[in-house]
Amino acid sequence: MSHSINQNLAWPDQVSGKKAEFSATTWTVVERFGTVGANAELLNDPDIHRVENVLTMSGSARQAFDTLEFWFEATDAPNTYNIRKTHEMHNGPIYPPLPPQVTLSSTDPSIPLPNPNYLSIHAACAKVAHLSGAREYLETILEEEEETRVLASNGGSADMLSFLLARAAVAGH
């Protein structure tokens, strides 16, 4: 079983320390990628375990899904998704192999299917995590934050300031 939105993405006001910093940073990036934040508010702890946020899959698929190595991309057909994956499968092969497309279903009509908005948030996280240079760029900004005591008068701190203000807004969400 896997969550579309992982527990590590709890809202920053629900956790503390480094986890809150990680969460605020992640939500800042996700919200800049698309307007998905309002939908994610429904997943405040303990609602993270609601059935609309859960998928059943093999252990190797779960590990790859949780580490953002593959995601579901919506198609025009209801509950049908193309499976997209990174070229680097760090956790080894997925068994059984993933098909190129899946249609999510339930044997019990009273059990809701995974929420497409949550799958879209997961996809946004995966895409951002694997954009060329995105991870290195964020690391540079966070290192700059630790080293900076005063903003540069030439505007050289603009990216860092913009990111930190957005992160603060998400943390105060």
Side-chain angles (χ1 to χ4, degrees):
M1 182 173 75
S2 190
H3 293 82
S4 298
I5 300 176
N6 194 294
Q7 288 176 290
N8 291 330
L9 289 179
W11 285 104
D13 60 351
Q14 297 172 355
V15 291
S16 61
K18 287 286 187 190
K19 192 169 185 178
E21 185 176 318
F22 170 80
S23 177
T25 299
T26 303
W27 280 113
T28 299
V29 171
V30 169
E31 287 186 343
R32 284 184 174 206
F33 197 85
T35 55
V36 294
N39 297 314
E41 285 183 24
L42 299 172
L43 294 176
N44 285 327
D45 191 49
D47 290 336
I48 196 90
H49 301 295
R50 67 190 312 157
V51 72
E52 296 92 338
N53 189 39
V54 175
L55 297 116
T56 304
M57 58 183 73
S58 73
S60 59
R62 185 182 79 67
Q63 185 174 14
F65 188 78
D66 288 351
T67 56
L68 305 175
E69 293 183 20
F70 83 89
W71 59 92
F72 295 95
E73 193 172 88
T75 66
D76 292 333
N79 304 311
T80 300
Y81 299 86
N82 291 321
I83 293 182
R84 302 290 186 224
K85 54 186 173 181
T86 64
H87 295 289
E88 320 85 36
M89 297 298 282
H90 298 291
N91 295 307
I94 297 174
Y95 186 80
L98 297 172
Q101 190 175 77
V102 295
T103 300
L104 303 179
S105 62
S106 173
T107 57
D108 183 345
S110 69
I111 297 175
L113 295 176
N115 185 314
N117 293 322
Y118 302 161
L119 292 173
S120 142
I121 293 169
H122 180 272
C125 290
K127 290 173 189 176
V128 167
H130 295 288
L131 284 174
S132 178
R135 182 173 294 159
E136 291 82 10
Y137 179 70
L138 287 175
E139 286 175 9
T140 301
I141 286 179
L142 294 173
E143 285 173 13
E144 186 180 344
E145 172 195 14
E146 290 177 6
E147 297 169 3
T148 302
R149 299 289 173 236
V150 178
L151 296 176
S153 61
N154 66 359
S157 304
D159 282 350
M160 178 194 69
L161 180 60
S162 174
F163 180 82
L164 295 175
L165 289 172
R167 186 175 76 178
V170 170
H173 189 355

